Amino acid sequence: MRTGAVRTLLLWLLAMLAGAAVVWNSRFSADMTFFLPADPSPEQRVLVDQLKEGLVSRLLMVAVAGGDPVGRAAASRQLAARLADGPDFVSVQNGDSAGQGADRDLLVAHRYQLSPAVNSERFSSAGLRAAIGDSIDRLASPAGLAFKPLLARDPTGELYVLVAGFDGGQQPNVREGVWASRDGERTLLLLQTRALGSDTDGQEAAISRVRNEFAALAEPGLTLQVSGPGLFAVKARATIKDEITRLSLISTLGIVVLLLFAYRSPRLVVLGLLPVASGALAGIVAVSLAYGTVFGITVGFGTALIGEAVDYSIYYFLQSGRDGAAAWRARFWPTIRLGVATSVCGFGALLFSGFPGLAQLGLYGIAGLVVAAFVTRFALRQLAPEDLAIHDMEPLGRRLAGRLAALHRLRWPALALAVAATGLIAARHDAMWTGNLSVLSTVSAADADVDMALRADLAAPDSRYFVVVRGNDPDAALAAAERAGRVLDGLVTSGDIGGYDSPARFLPSAEAQAARRASLPDAATLRARLHEALADLPLRPERLEPFIADVEAARRQAPLAREALAGSGLALAVDALLLPAAQGWSVLLPLRPAGGERGVAIDPQPVRAALAAGGADGALFVDLKAEFDSLYGDYLGEALHLSLAGLAAIALLLAVTLRSARRLAAVMLPLLAAVVIVVAGLHLAGVTLHLLHLVGMLLIVAVGSNYALFFDRAAQGKGLDPATLASMLVANLTTVVGFGTLALSTVPVLNAIGVTVGPGALLAMLLAAVFVPRGTTQ
Amino acid sequence: MKRILVLAGLLLAASGASAAFDVAQLMADLARNKGGKARFVETRTIALLDKPVVATGEMTYTAPDRLEKKTLTPKAETLLLERNMLSIEREKQKLTINLGNQPEALAFVDSIRGTLAGDRAALERSYGLHLAGTPDKWTLTLLPSDTRIAALLQRIVVSGNRDRIRTIEYVQADGDRSLLTLEPIAGR
């Protein structure tokens, strides 16, 4: 080997090693983040936080079916005990009432600091009379019966106030003392993982823990079902991993076969793949360095790019054969460089997307293609043998040139087809596109059904509506939650909402607790007031000494702090809703719809108006579903603008380089015709188009321009010799194989790009040949 | 000898009673009753209180598992039992309780619902049944068999004639009791 070659090889190897080191340390992800906005609005921020780390993303629902009810309930209890013992789960609930006693004791002990009914009015003679009278009346009802044992300590019914405030939501069915499905045939558990929703490894560990513990129960006849966002993330990652392996294998195999056919030299095939490998590595390195995290889908997209990146070495080997490398650089490199530039324009448009997945695909595409072209241009010559023993492609090229003349006759039918396709798109435009982000989700319909069923059985929070408030510290956030809560109380009364949850119910702000303590009278005063209050009630004051003692103790009670709740169900409720935010703390107040005739949706208008009027400063009403739905609309609108900008950039680049409206039109016409024909074809094939098809349309232009440019070059009298024509065919076919392989993917993002760009690239080349001026090939 | 005679007498009495009127017979009678409306007066005697708490209202039963108890005095309250869901509406508040969670309430519900429906199996899940009297004037005593329920409830005594229930008395473990007296309104 020449010293130059050795140096180049060493440099290349060094670069590859450095790249491999970056990739080795990269974080790969297959979670929802791919779809979540990079620069969210305050409302979208709530959605992003919830999906990445919120309570919702950390819920796992578990069902045990089979056997008999008693066996299932026993299995539920054993499984719950095993899962609770260990670090994986913050909470394990199965409805077993055994654990509820501790929570109740906490509520009783702190009732005078917790109850929103406690104020000085309630402890006046009249207030006491009314509250105790109510408690006695309640004894006549089963609702009050449960509170009877506490009557002497809590005659004003503060525990009742607390419990009545918490409940109201639907509760799961119970059978044999544990949660069961509506039909009673499955027991249910609700788990909260310690791992965040965005921590797919942690979610996977938690899920396999559930499966292992269940297997260890060794109960024959019982089956386990798990669902939840964590499971979806784990499955999505497995799907994408599996697809990356499968699709790259198919795509590489197809391309290697094509190259073997063209080169008839395994050595050249290996050399030809060097730029591709460099490009694929560079793509991941660039994304990793720029974004920190590489999405699995981005790596999967690399499968397609192999097909385009290999083009450069194909041109090099097939076109430089006769005249040598220097002549190739002079004759063909400008055309190839322009092709790389148009592709970069197309991918570059995606860089500006607020949809992080798209931006990554764009960066990956740019880095991959530029590096592949660079390696071809500067390194391949050094590494390739002096005597390129290329299989002679001229006979194939001459046959193709013969066909080209025949293709020329198709120009009017092709034009008519393009016009018809444009007409179809114009007529059916509204029916062709779908407006929902969930079309991009990898969750299968069967998995979604299981999830729906479990969610309905568990009455698990679908957590659609929230009011979000902020504070500089936890206590300020809780105080803000109390202010918003007073507004929400009004909305409950007016029937606009059914109810709401607040961490301030279990952990009131220090100010609220102090105000409640301060409103409690001392023992002597209370005793005197009780005498007055109980005058015409069937309860003698002497019997209420335990009450007087409790109130006296409560006046001196230390404020209830988060630490005092540790280990209880109340702590869970607080921690789920009181969260550290980017600045300070935020509190989530989940709202329940009114139900009944008011329906299961909440009208945002009255809620927003009441929050604004009620002085709940900075309180934000968020409808997560609406945010999620509008997210897709935002992405689609943005992708449309970016695609048009990308198209304009490509057209501008070509206009500046070609300096001729006629040549520009000749290059663009086949590309645009290919786009409309592919889109119309997909619609006629019954494909519902979405965002990624739109991106695919841009990529047809960006990728297809490479081939159209060679015809442009030929039309300028530079000729289209048979070898060049053959190289174009091989290069186009590798691109079609690369992108076409993505059409086999079950991941909607990849599939959409595959079915659009695969046929589009082929069609772009064919149409460029059809529209090329007569006599060009001679 | 005397003891044997007494025993024989008891046996005779028991077998004679069962031939004429037993739990199965009563349950069959009750099961025939498909529903109706009654006025009720409920008197709760609670040790802590100097005098009983009295509530009145209307009760509507629709076979087999819907029971509505509408209290009019002293405080309006509607209690609706449908299958295992108990909802209580009171002071603008609506509370829905899943009875599976509340053994106390479930005992209450099982006794009244099982008796109304003549569902012997449901009653025997939680209680031992003891019947006395004749079809025209019977008394059914329910003694809790589940220890959790027995910790709260001593016994339930239901009395009636034919397929009509006249009174239900709950005696709680702490001695507090409540007596529910029913007076059919119409259509029975």
Side-chain angles (χ1 to χ4, degrees), chain A residues 117-273:
Chain A
V118 171
N119 53 35
S120 47
E121 207 176 303
R122 193 172 177 86
F123 281 84
S124 68
S125 295
L128 286 167
R129 197 206 166 282
I132 297 173
D134 279 349
S135 289
I136 291 173
D137 288 347
R138 254 196 312 272
L139 290 177
S141 124
L145 203 61
F147 301 94
K148 193 190 73 174
L150 270 179
L151 188 65
R153 286 179 64 194
D154 181 24
T156 54
E158 304 309 334
L159 185 67
Y160 175 80
V161 171
L162 289 176
V163 174
F166 303 152
D167 275 330
Q170 218 190 337
Q171 293 169 354
N173 193 11
V174 172
R175 194 161 176 191
E176 296 298 330
V178 294
W179 284 338
S181 58
R182 299 262 160 81
D183 61 7
E185 296 301 312
R186 295 177 298 177
T187 61
L188 304 166
L189 294 94
L190 193 58
L191 316 177
Q192 196 185 340
T193 61
R194 187 170 301 280
L196 298 181
S198 54
D199 172 9
T200 312
D201 285 334
Q203 292 291 332
E204 189 166 23
I207 291 166
S208 44
R209 174 92 196 283
V210 175
R211 298 200 193 282
N212 292 341
E213 296 291 4
F214 178 76
L217 293 183
E219 292 286 344
L222 294 186
T223 57
L224 182 77
Q225 219 170 24
V226 183
S227 192
L231 182 85
F232 290 160
V234 170
K235 278 198 169 183
R237 183 168 71 172
T239 304
I240 290 167
K241 260 187 186 169
D242 182 55
E243 295 226 330
I244 291 172
T245 318
R246 191 171 61 98
L247 297 180
S248 357
L249 202 69
I250 295 175
S251 149
T252 310
L253 210 65
I255 289 165
V256 164
V257 167
L258 265 171
L259 293 183
L260 269 177
F261 166 77
Y263 300 161
R264 313 278 161 105
S265 156
R267 187 172 166 205
L268 282 190
V269 171
V270 172
L271 275 173
L273 289 176

Side-chain angles (χ1 to χ4, degrees), chain A residues 134 139 141 148 172 538 540, chain B residues 44 50 75 77 98 172 176:
Chain A
D134 279 349
L139 290 177
S141 124
K148 193 190 73 174
R540 266 171 288 149
Chain B
R44 282 179 196 262
D50 299 336
K75 275 266 163 69
E77 177 190 75
N98 191 317
Q172 293 174 38
D176 288 354

Side-chain angles (χ1 to χ4, degrees), chain A residues 155-471:
Chain A
T156 54
E158 304 309 334
L159 185 67
Y160 175 80
V161 171
L162 289 176
V163 174
F166 303 152
D167 275 330
Q170 218 190 337
Q171 293 169 354
N173 193 11
V174 172
R175 194 161 176 191
E176 296 298 330
V178 294
W179 284 338
S181 58
R182 299 262 160 81
D183 61 7
E185 296 301 312
R186 295 177 298 177
T187 61
L188 304 166
L189 294 94
L190 193 58
L191 316 177
Q192 196 185 340
T193 61
R194 187 170 301 280
L196 298 181
S198 54
D199 172 9
T200 312
D201 285 334
Q203 292 291 332
E204 189 166 23
I207 291 166
S208 44
R209 174 92 196 283
V210 175
R211 298 200 193 282
N212 292 341
E213 296 291 4
F214 178 76
L217 293 183
E219 292 286 344
L222 294 186
T223 57
L224 182 77
Q225 219 170 24
V226 183
S227 192
L231 182 85
F232 290 160
V234 170
K235 278 198 169 183
R237 183 168 71 172
T239 304
I240 290 167
K241 260 187 186 169
D242 182 55
E243 295 226 330
I244 291 172
T245 318
R246 191 171 61 98
L247 297 180
S248 357
L249 202 69
I250 295 175
S251 149
T252 310
L253 210 65
I255 289 165
V256 164
V257 167
L258 265 171
L259 293 183
L260 269 177
F261 166 77
Y263 300 161
R264 313 278 161 105
S265 156
R267 187 172 166 205
L268 282 190
V269 171
V270 172
L271 275 173
L273 289 176
L274 283 187
V276 178
S278 319
L281 190 67
I284 299 179
V285 169
V287 168
S288 175
L289 293 179
Y291 295 101
T293 302
V294 185
F295 296 126
I297 293 182
T298 310
V299 182
F301 182 65
T303 308
L305 230 52
I306 295 172
E308 200 194 345
V310 80
D311 288 7
Y312 309 129
S313 59
I314 294 173
Y315 296 142
Y316 177 73
F317 288 143
L318 294 182
Q319 295 169 353
S320 68
R322 193 186 297 163
D323 305 323
W328 175 74
R329 275 206 299 280
R331 287 180 61 202
F332 292 99
W333 179 247
T335 304
I336 294 170
R337 196 176 49 198
L338 186 57
V340 174
T342 55
S343 294
V344 166
C345 280
F347 284 109
L350 304 183
L351 277 185
F352 299 96
S353 175
F355 182 169
L358 276 191
Q360 280 207 1
L361 295 189
L363 182 61
Y364 185 99
I366 291 175
L369 290 183
V370 168
V371 167
F374 184 86
V375 170
T376 307
R377 165 73 173 72
F378 295 101
L380 207 54
R381 186 177 61 88
Q382 303 275 350
L383 302 175
E386 293 279 355
D387 51 334
L388 277 178
I390 301 284
H391 168 65
D392 189 8
M393 295 289 281
E394 285 204 16
L396 174 70
R398 267 193 292 278
R399 279 203 301 281
L400 288 174
R403 298 282 157 79
L404 212 54
L407 277 180
H408 196 68
R409 284 200 293 275
L410 292 174
R411 59 195 309 169
W412 290 112
L415 210 55
L417 188 63
V419 169
T422 310
L424 181 78
I425 293 170
R428 301 263 191 93
H429 183 265
D430 292 336
M432 291 170 75
W433 299 86
T434 178
N436 198 325
L437 201 54
S438 59
V439 293
L440 302 183
S441 150
T442 48
V443 177
S444 73
D447 285 348
D449 287 347
V450 169
D451 195 70
M452 282 277 285
L454 284 179
R455 216 165 265 281
D457 277 338
L458 270 169
D462 54 1
S463 306
R464 174 173 170 182
Y465 302 99
F466 288 98
V467 166
V468 185
V469 294
R470 290 181 194 283

Side-chain angles (χ1 to χ4, degrees), chain A residues 95 97 100 130 133-134 136-146 148-149 151-152 160-161 163-165 167-175 177 179 493 536-540 543-544, chain B residues 42 44 46-55 69 71 73-75 77 79 84-86 88 90-105 108 148 172 174 176-177:
Chain A
S97 49
Q100 291 164 9
D134 279 349
I136 291 173
D137 288 347
R138 254 196 312 272
L139 290 177
S141 124
L145 203 61
K148 193 190 73 174
L151 188 65
Y160 175 80
V161 171
V163 174
D167 275 330
Q170 218 190 337
Q171 293 169 354
N173 193 11
V174 172
R175 194 161 176 191
W179 284 338
T493 309
D536 52 355
L537 287 176
L539 184 58
R540 266 171 288 149
R543 298 200 190 253
L544 294 184
Chain B
E42 187 172 29
R44 282 179 196 262
I46 294 166
L48 198 65
L49 301 184
D50 299 336
K51 60 181 190 204
V53 184
V54 180
K69 184 183 175 205
T71 306
T73 63
K75 275 266 163 69
E77 177 190 75
L79 190 146
N84 259 359
M85 300 308 289
L86 178 72
I88 301 167
R90 184 186 169 86
E91 294 162 28
K92 279 192 194 165
Q93 253 176 347
K94 189 167 177 175
L95 207 72
T96 303
I97 300 172
N98 191 317
L99 292 172
N101 278 335
Q102 320 273 344
E104 204 170 347
F108 169 87
R148 273 192 307 176
Q172 293 174 38
D174 58 10
D176 288 354
R177 59 185 65 212

Side-chain angles (χ1 to χ4, degrees), chain A residues 87-99:
Chain A
D88 293 314
F89 299 100
V90 178
S91 123
V92 176
Q93 292 171 276
N94 68 345
D96 202 343
S97 49

